[in-house]
Amino acid sequence: MSIQYPIDLHIHSTISDGLETPAELYARARREGITAIALCDHDTVAGVPLMQEVIRQEEALTPDSPPIRYLPSIELSTGDGGHAHLLGFGVNYQDEKLLSALEEMQEERAQRSRRMICLLKKQGIRFCTHVEEELTRPGTGRAHIARALLDMGAVNTMQQAFDRYLARGKCAYIARRYMSIADGVSLLTGAGATVVLAHPCRLNPDPQGLRALVMELMDAGLSGLEAYHPSASRQQAPLIDSMARSLGLLVTGGSDYHGDTNCCVRMGRMPSGWQDPESDLQALLERING
Ligand SMILES: [Zn+2]
Ligand SMILES: [Zn+2]
């Protein structure tokens, strides 16, 4: 069972593969009674100053409403196949080493999109020129291509786009190179971030294997686990929660909201069982500011 929380520490905007702009996300948070958000766009911090500006303007317009607390953040893809996602909360979006690593990733990603589009052409699928241009801009990825395939009617669902063309081993799949998880943790901590392993159940559903990995990453500077995420079952979420606490790690939660109105993910919606999100948020903020 999932429930609505007033805190959402994992949302995406149009700056990566979300469908809503930072301003639209802020407005949604207001409407839905969310009091704290973290914009965690994939492999980019370009949304951080945009969201800061949105908040500055909104607060000037509505000085009497309590401000929504905002954590500048990023979701970094690392590890084999890029499947290990790290949330870097409180990241310094001007850190030069981080920016150059991200730029390299974005360029590699655009090159990969170009190669995948060529492979789709061999399957008889051609995007119109302006869509192709959009899809080969730095920062685009498989989710963008899947959505374009859906929009042109080549598939009926995003999942079908992956199952037929884009998943590993399928005809239009190109592998990417990623930094190791430990290198990702170091890169983010170097940029002043407090690093949390995103949706750990997706990475390794076996609790013992996960615990071993987490302990290894703690040596690299990992600070917490995202226990409450839609990918965790009602049983798994409390297990991750207690694993984190037993290791002295922070606990976070986020919906991974991407703006898709045709799926069940909603801002603030996560598995039930998170006892005290506010005090866990305070602990995170103390770590970020400490
Ligand atoms: Zn993720
Ligand atoms: Zn995400």
Side-chain angles (χ1 to χ4, degrees), residues 61-90:
L61 287 171
T62 54
D64 298 331
S65 317
I68 290 177
R69 290 162 295 171
Y70 165 61
L71 286 73
S73 310
I74 184 173
E75 181 171 24
L76 189 69
S77 310
T78 66
D80 185 28
H83 295 306
H85 291 182
L86 300 171
L87 301 172
F89 293 111

Side-chain angles (χ1 to χ4, degrees), residues 10 12 40 42 75 256 258:
H10 187 161
H12 294 273
C40 302
H42 295 285
E75 181 171 24
D256 219 343
H258 279 73

Side-chain angles (χ1 to χ4, degrees), residues 139-171:
T140 52
R142 283 190 301 169
H144 295 88
I145 297 178
R147 212 167 262 142
L149 287 169
L150 180 62
D151 289 346
M152 75 193 290
V155 292
N156 296 320
T157 60
M158 295 272 286
Q159 190 57 46
Q160 210 173 58
F162 281 89
D163 292 346
R164 281 192 193 163
Y165 303 109
L166 304 172
R168 189 190 289 225
K170 301 296 172 182
C171 57

Side-chain angles (χ1 to χ4, degrees), residues 121-249:
K121 275 183 192 156
K122 288 188 183 154
Q123 301 296 315
I125 295 174
R126 281 176 181 276
F127 298 108
C128 39
T129 320
H130 75 276
V131 173
E132 193 170 317
E133 270 168 25
E134 287 281 310
L135 290 175
T136 50
R137 283 216 295 239
T140 52
R142 283 190 301 169
H144 295 88
I145 297 178
R147 212 167 262 142
L149 287 169
L150 180 62
D151 289 346
M152 75 193 290
V155 292
N156 296 320
T157 60
M158 295 272 286
Q159 190 57 46
Q160 210 173 58
F162 281 89
D163 292 346
R164 281 192 193 163
Y165 303 109
L166 304 172
R168 189 190 289 225
K170 301 296 172 182
C171 57
Y173 176 77
I174 297 280
R176 272 184 71 189
R177 295 184 308 275
Y178 292 90
M179 66 186 92
S180 71
I181 317 177
D183 285 351
V185 173
S186 305
L187 179 68
L188 291 174
T189 53
T194 296
V195 184
V196 169
L197 184 63
H199 38 72
C201 294
R202 211 183 259 171
L203 187 61
N204 190 345
D206 166 51
Q208 275 183 344
L210 182 62
R211 194 182 170 92
L213 171 68
V214 168
M215 288 174 72
E216 208 180 293
L217 295 177
M218 284 171 70
D219 290 337
L222 186 79
S223 291
L225 299 181
E226 186 185 43
Y228 297 92
H229 178 277
S231 64
S233 68
R234 192 159 55 102
Q235 289 76 28
Q236 283 172 321
L239 282 177
I240 303 289
D241 181 316
S242 52
M243 183 189 297
R245 291 182 208 280
S246 72
L247 292 168
L249 292 170

